[in-house]
Amino acid sequence: MFIGSYIVALALLWRLAIVGIPFVVLLVVPGYMYKRTLMRLARKIREEYNQAGTIAEQTISSIRTVYSFVGESKTIAAFSNALEGSVKLGLKQGLAKGLALGSNGVVYAMWSLICYYGSRMVMYHGAKGGNVFAVGALLALGGL
């Protein structure tokens, strides 16, 4: 979709597509960084949940022993400590998602430039408004 949308945009209005292509970097780089960060945080969260799951599994499998030695409070404390790391990582994950969503504001800047330059092309170079809109949509969707 990325390559195809830019090929079609270049075929429709190559001047307008050339103006919008520098925004590709501003659209692709935040998405790539968000993907890497999210994958790393998801892996760490899974490891934290595995630790908590191991504690719960061991407790349930030996519930009689835990109950006979009055180890409920110790087990609950260990389980809570295992989950605290995942809470901190979840907050980091939320921040990463917010930054990635906020970085998509570049799309609006790209649309404004394409609308401005496209209107100039319609007025002075005989371009059609539908082609201008199509090229803008292709550049935005291809970059995202």
Side-chain angles (χ1 to χ4, degrees), residues 27 34 47 72 79 83 87 114 123 128-129 144:
L27 292 173
Y34 166 66
E47 290 170 3
E72 295 95 350
F79 186 73
L83 287 178
V87 170
I114 288 173
M123 289 188 298
K128 294 185 171 118
L144 290 176

Side-chain angles (χ1 to χ4, degrees), residues 119-134:
S119 66
R120 306 285 292 178
M121 288 187 69
V122 167
M123 289 188 298
Y124 300 118
H125 298 289
K128 294 185 171 118
N131 287 345
V132 170
F133 179 78

Side-chain angles (χ1 to χ4, degrees), residues 66-82:
V66 171
Y67 182 72
S68 66
F69 288 115
V70 191
E72 295 95 350
S73 60
K74 183 179 178 182
T75 303
I76 290 171
F79 186 73
S80 295
N81 287 337

Side-chain angles (χ1 to χ4, degrees), residues 71-104:
E72 295 95 350
S73 60
K74 183 179 178 182
T75 303
I76 290 171
F79 186 73
S80 295
N81 287 337
L83 287 178
E84 281 191 28
S86 65
V87 170
K88 291 177 185 176
L89 290 172
L91 291 173
K92 288 181 182 179
Q93 186 179 28
L95 178 64
K97 286 181 181 179
L99 288 173
L101 188 62
S103 69
N104 282 335

